[in-house]
């Protein structure tokens, strides 16, 4: 497969810069991959598209205020984007500066925070914050919301609430699991009343989700690593749904990647660890039957994932339809519900 196979034309004005007035007021494009049928809906219709006995799996990661600005000892300005919190005072981070900071140098960040550069591994720096035993608390005080690079405004008070799911509880992500942004409390309650089982896992979305694929031959692409945990309660809920004929709906590509990683041996197992799972056409899905997701960037690994799930021709046609019908794209945009194509068609 080649990178250019996943390109498409997207008018700049369709990139959503702000969220919908209400979380569940977005639009929803429904793709039945078996028939190729596309249906324009509103997001609240997800209630009618779910059935008693189905299970919906949500990523409960919480976005941290991962962006810090400051200066190097030499006086040069820097921007730090936390990639992963390693302990109470250690992090991996991307550092933007005119010249990369040297090992042993001290960075002055935010409101009095100071961090020592311990070393570098590829594009990430290992930093240790001085006099700090809780990085999350420091970031809450001194950091800002790490909005995606295609959102052009500076973070505002509204972004602190809306670039976060209503069920977020496990801090560690530097990007939101955006399919979940469409759900509000009343909609979640209505799904429970309908008999849909709501289950949760954690995958801390990293900044690598916005990194471009830099190789034309996709076999050469190395996926970024992200930490995940699938609890036993979620495994039990999924197994129960499958035994009774219910369907498994992953809310977001992050939930899907965590579940497929945990089920890589053929049987879904509770556990935690790092995943580098790179899903592209030809992948055989083992756990997930339906995928709820936003619209993704051209040539991104997420475009490859949805193409594997729904079929390349179906996804190309769905994205053309979304552009023609003026759907809103990316993190603050509209949503798409994809029914998985049959196994015999995967990779075609």
């Amino acid at each position: 497969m080649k990178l250019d196979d996943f390109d498409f034309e997207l008018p700049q004005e369709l990139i959503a810069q702000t969220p919908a007035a209400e979380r569940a007021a977005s639009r929803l494009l429904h793709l039945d991959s078996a028939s190729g049928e596309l249906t324009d809906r509103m997001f609240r219709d997800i209630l009618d598209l779910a059935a008693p006995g189905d299970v919906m799996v949500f990523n409960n990661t919480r976005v941290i205020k991962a962006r810090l600005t400051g200066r190097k000892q030499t006086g040069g300005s820097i921007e730090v984007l936390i990639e992963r919190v390693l302990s109470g005072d250690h992090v991996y981070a991307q550092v933007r500066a005119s010249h990369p900071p040297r090992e042993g140098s001290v960075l002055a960040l935010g409101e009095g925070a100071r961090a020592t550069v311990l070393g570098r591994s590829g594009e990430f720096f290992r930093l240790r914050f001085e006099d700090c035993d809780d990085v999350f608390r420091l970031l809450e005080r001194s950091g800002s919301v790490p909005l995606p690079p295609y959102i052009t405004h500076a973070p505002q008070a509204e972004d602190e609430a809306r670039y976060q799911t209503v069920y977020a509880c496990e801090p560690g992500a530097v990007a939101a699991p955006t399919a979940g942004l469409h759900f509000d409390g009343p909609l979640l309650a209505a799904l429970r009343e309908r008999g849909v089982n709501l289950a949760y896992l954690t995958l801390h979305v990293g900044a690598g989700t916005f990194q471009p694929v830099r190789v034309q031959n996709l076999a050469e692409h190395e996926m970024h690593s992200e930490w995940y945990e699938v609890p036993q309660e979620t495994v039990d809920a999924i197994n129960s749904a499958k035994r009774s004929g219910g369907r498994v709906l992953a809310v977001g590509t992050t939930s899907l990647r965590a579940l497929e990683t945990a089920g890589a041996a053929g049987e879904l197992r509770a556990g935690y660890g790092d995943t580098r799972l790179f899903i592209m056409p030809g992948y055989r899905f083992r756990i997930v039957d339906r995928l709820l997701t936003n619209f993704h960037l051209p040539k991104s690994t997420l475009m490859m994932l949805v193409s594997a799930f729904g079929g390349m021709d179906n996804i190309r046609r769905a994205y053309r339809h979304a552009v023609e019908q003026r759907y809103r794209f990316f993190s603050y945009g509209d949503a798409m519900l994809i029914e998985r194509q049959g196994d015999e068609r995967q990779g075609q």
Side-chain angles (χ1 to χ4, degrees), residues 220-232:
E220 300 172 0
H221 175 67
E222 183 175 340
M223 196 72 174
H224 58 281
S225 175
E226 293 172 314
W227 186 90
Y228 77 96
E229 180 175 15
V230 177
Q232 187 62 49

Side-chain angles (χ1 to χ4, degrees), residues 245-286:
R247 298 164 297 178
V248 178
L249 188 156
V251 178
T253 57
T254 58
S255 294
L256 182 147
R257 289 181 66 240
L259 290 174
E260 292 295 325
T261 298
E267 177 184 350
L268 184 63
R269 298 176 181 175
Y272 63 89
D274 286 342
T275 178
R276 290 180 177 271
L277 182 61
F278 179 23
I279 296 177
M280 55 189 291
Y283 179 86
R284 292 293 189 266
F285 292 90
R286 296 174 173 85

